[in-house]
Amino acid sequence: TVSRIVQVEINGRGTLAKLADFSLGGCAIRVSNSQFIEPGESVRFNINALFDTPIMFEGTVVTVTSSGEGIQLGIKFNNEGSHQARDTLARLIMSSEIDAENSTSHVSTAS
């Protein structure tokens, strides 16, 4: 599970979305329900701030489900298990561990 804003392009239409889940073979992205998206559509998205330059992923929408006030897209990457996906997954895990450590490091131990 991830919570990161990404820039998404779906069949040439750009929008901001939330990366909600990430694995070696694909991901889940949440977009507003003002988007009309069907399974089979091509998707590209950038992940910023994990590396020196933005990382681009490409895939195909395999599922579209309702999610709160928007929709969640299940995306299968075009290059499953790629080196890029492994590196990104590792960085996402490391950044979430660092965030968890920082949020607990401010707890006072005074009685």
Side-chain angles (χ1 to χ4, degrees), residues 32-103:
S32 74
N33 59 6
S34 64
Q35 301 288 323
F36 183 75
I37 302 161
E38 294 182 336
E41 292 191 57
S42 297
V43 176
R44 295 170 46 153
F45 67 94
N46 287 320
I47 297 180
N48 296 315
L50 284 177
F51 299 94
D52 294 333
T53 59
I55 301 296
M56 172 70 74
F57 285 91
E58 295 183 0
T60 303
V61 175
V62 291
T63 61
V64 179
T65 55
S66 179
S67 175
E69 295 183 20
I71 55 176
Q72 180 165 299
L73 309 175
I75 298 168
K76 180 179 178 185
F77 295 143
N78 291 346
N79 297 323
E80 281 189 59
S82 71
H83 181 65
Q84 176 178 313
R86 286 192 306 272
D87 287 351
T88 300
L89 184 58
R91 296 266 181 131
L92 287 168
I93 291 168
M94 287 175 24
S95 69
S96 68
E97 288 174 358
I98 291 168
D99 291 345
E101 288 174 15
N102 288 340
S103 66

Side-chain angles (χ1 to χ4, degrees), residues 1-8 10 15-22 27-32 45-47 67 71-75:
T1 302
V2 181
S3 181
R4 180 172 294 272
I5 301 299
V6 294
Q7 178 68 39
V8 178
I10 303 167
T15 188
L16 289 177
K18 180 180 176 185
L19 180 65
D21 188 55
F22 190 92
C27 65
I29 294 180
R30 294 184 181 147
V31 296
S32 74
F45 67 94
N46 287 320
I47 297 180
S67 175
I71 55 176
Q72 180 165 299
L73 309 175
I75 298 168

